[in-house]
Amino acid sequence: MRLIAENLAGERGGDLLFEGLDFTVPSGEALLVTGPNGAGKSTLLRIIAGLLAKAAGQVRLEQISGGFESLTAASHYLGHLNAMKPVLSVEENLRFWGSFNGQGKLSIADALERVGLGDIGYLPFGYLSTGQKRRASIARLLVSNRPVWLLDEPTAGLDKASERQFAALMQDHLRGGGIIVAATHLPLGLGNTRELALGAAA
Amino acid sequence: MSETVSKTARWIDWANPTRFMTFAAAFLPWLGGLTTLVLAVGFWMSMQAPDDYQQGATVKIMFIHVPFAWLSMMCYTIMTLAALGTLVWRHPLADVSAKAAAPIGAVFTALALVTGSLWGKPMWGTWWVWDARLTSVFVLFLMYLGIIALTRAIDDPAKSAKATAILTLVGFINIPIIKFSVDWWNTLHQPASVLRMGGSTIDPSLLWPLLVMAIGFTLLFFTLHMQAMRNEIWRRRVVAMRRVAARSAERRTVQ
Amino acid sequence: MGALFIRDIRLGLRAGGGVLIGILFFLAVITVVPFGVGPDLKLLARIGAAMLWIGALLATLLGLDRLFQADRDDGSLDLLIMASERHMLALTVLIKCLAHWTVSVLPLVVASPLLGLFMNMEPAAIGATTLTLLVGTPAITLIGAVGAAVAVSLPRGGLLVSVIILPLTVPVLIFGVSASYGAVEDPAPFLAPFLILAAITLFFAVLGPLAAAAALKSSAD
């Protein structure tokens, strides 16, 4: 399985943010997208996720494992927003995404345990602190199986301990043959990574 | 001097929800028992009461309709006092009292409207007319629902308390309008007959059951109100404990 | 899909008394009518069905702008769109509309017989109006979904949604009211406008979600 981008260009509001982007990410590896604010990191991720139209070029996933039909269907997207409802409990939120996106190997209780929220799954999501909310959102990635993780500033709001925990989760995902594309300006603590610097030339 | 200090201290103790909970736990069974007793006696007296020579057996609806209507206004008055308590004295229980009273008041108002409608159909030949008394009571019902919607819409109790209190105070204008609507306007609804200058116009054989029923339903209101206040305090404690649980879970993972 | 329906119902019931506000608005609209036209019972009985329909129409439009905006605000909408190969987006929209209708419009339909009494309507007229509301209001929600999807990225889209949708709901109102009158007034038929009303609902059950899904896909930025 490989994620391939050829001559990719992205624009936002008529502004060309990047063009002529080529990269290949084989399974088991992570791509760190770095660059200053406004360089187009989030735009690139949303284009890969299929949420934004690309200005030129193409991005595709070859030899997809797990019976997914396209890159979008095979991707988990963790954006700035957590996609959780504050009035529902953490468990209810995860159970919904689990049954909507397909339940993976990990049960909801196990997923919560992995992000260190094992004993507060019954609380309404709105009661959680910023870091806890982020971790609950990360648990969503574990509940359904997707080979590609698209992470936009995944560690925003996490403390050092949770960052380490999350790095271990990402390591597990890569070891299982997954692909990670992460936009960040903090080191994620991963071993086998490639780096793509956006907006450096401009 | 020292006596007044201890007196104020005791008065402030009442503001303490924990103190209220202890008191309510001890008092509620007695109040509930008394309510049942008075209502049972009231129902028995109502059954024994003679039929009206004009209205026949339908007059018996009066024994529940009048207490419901009276409670719908009393409940709003209590909420107004509670609103003053929230705004002027910042009494911590005042907000709980107002919030707990609103649904009960809405139910009693709805019951007053329904029983009135059932009475009106054989008497006036229609379920509903838009005269001053009926309309103003219906507006009272809408105001109850509005207050309930407002308390539910604002999550933070401290914020919702003030907003609700202000709305309640403004809405109190409606209460005298309801009370005097039958005198000010020419309406289908009969004028005041129980409480009026120069004595009641109701025959004692009907008046006594009515009074007992009114006392019984008033006791019922206070029983329900106290219970609802307890529930509200419990609910707030559950919310507070959940927030503590979220925070303490954070500390554990950091260590 | 069932999970989405249950989630949206739960959200509707738990989040801040939205159901109550819809009913309250409906009650308030019907209450002001007698003040406007006078308490003449015969007149009220004659315009009753029309007033109930207009009240229900306005109350239905009330909460529609939040249909997709709530999901957009917390990022859920992105994930719903991304899942479109697993669950067709139009179907997702349809389920969301059904959940919204069940929570915020069905209570209006249930309350309408009571308001019919306030308007001094005959039992047959009340029954017919309730039935037409039951069949016709889903069409309003489904048409509204298109407006809600078009205006999803606007921060204050609420009023705009109502203004966009209102002209499109006119046929629903026409056939709903004429069926209600057809049930009581002799020469006018009941069944023909009622069937057309049902057809409108079925038609928009297909067109509304498809159009809304297309608008949502292009709204992502």
Side-chain angles (χ1 to χ4, degrees), chain A residues 160-173:
Chain A
K160 280 273 174 284
S162 310
E163 269 179 30
R164 275 198 301 279
Q165 208 172 29
F166 182 47
L169 290 173
M170 286 194 289
Q171 235 16 301
D172 276 355
H173 179 64

Side-chain angles (χ1 to χ4, degrees), chain C residues 18-162:
Chain C
V19 185
L20 193 59
I21 293 170
I23 294 191
L24 202 51
F25 182 76
F26 189 33
L27 288 176
V29 167
I30 298 302
T31 315
V32 296
V33 171
F35 297 119
V37 303
D40 177 5
L41 287 180
K42 277 206 193 86
L43 179 66
L44 286 179
R46 209 165 69 239
I47 62 169
M51 291 325 299
L52 284 183
W53 255 98
I54 290 172
L57 174 68
L58 295 179
T60 307
L61 292 180
L62 199 61
L64 267 177
D65 58 312
R66 295 299 293 165
L67 188 57
F68 303 115
Q69 214 163 38
D71 277 337
R72 185 193 155 84
D73 289 349
D74 63 16
S76 303
L77 189 62
D78 287 339
L79 302 186
L80 295 179
I81 294 173
M82 275 181 73
S84 58
E85 270 167 54
R86 216 181 132 78
H87 305 291
M88 205 172 112
L89 189 55
L91 204 59
T92 306
V93 170
L94 180 66
I95 297 292
K96 280 190 76 67
C97 288
L98 285 181
H100 179 265
W101 182 82
T102 311
V103 174
S104 30
V105 185
L106 191 58
L108 304 180
V109 178
V110 173
S112 59
L114 198 67
L115 292 169
L117 284 184
F118 284 153
M119 301 298 282
N120 196 39
M121 286 159 70
E122 294 168 38
I126 290 174
T129 308
T130 310
L131 193 63
T132 52
L133 281 174
L134 184 69
V135 172
T137 46
I140 301 173
T141 305
L142 292 160
I143 297 169
V146 183
V150 170
V152 69
S153 55
L154 304 173
R156 299 261 180 280
L159 198 59
L160 184 63
V161 173
S162 305

Side-chain angles (χ1 to χ4, degrees), chain A residues 116 119-120 122-124 126-129 131-132 135 159 161, chain B residues 155 238-239 241-243 245-247 249-254:
Chain A
D119 44 1
I120 55 171
Y122 66 92
L123 288 179
Y127 287 17
L128 271 52
S129 70
Q132 288 170 330
R135 270 143 62 198
D159 54 26
Chain B
D155 261 346
V238 167
V239 169
M241 279 158 82
R242 285 177 152 189
R243 293 203 187 276
R247 272 205 304 281
E250 186 71 85
R251 251 171 252 129
R252 224 171 308 132
T253 44
V254 168

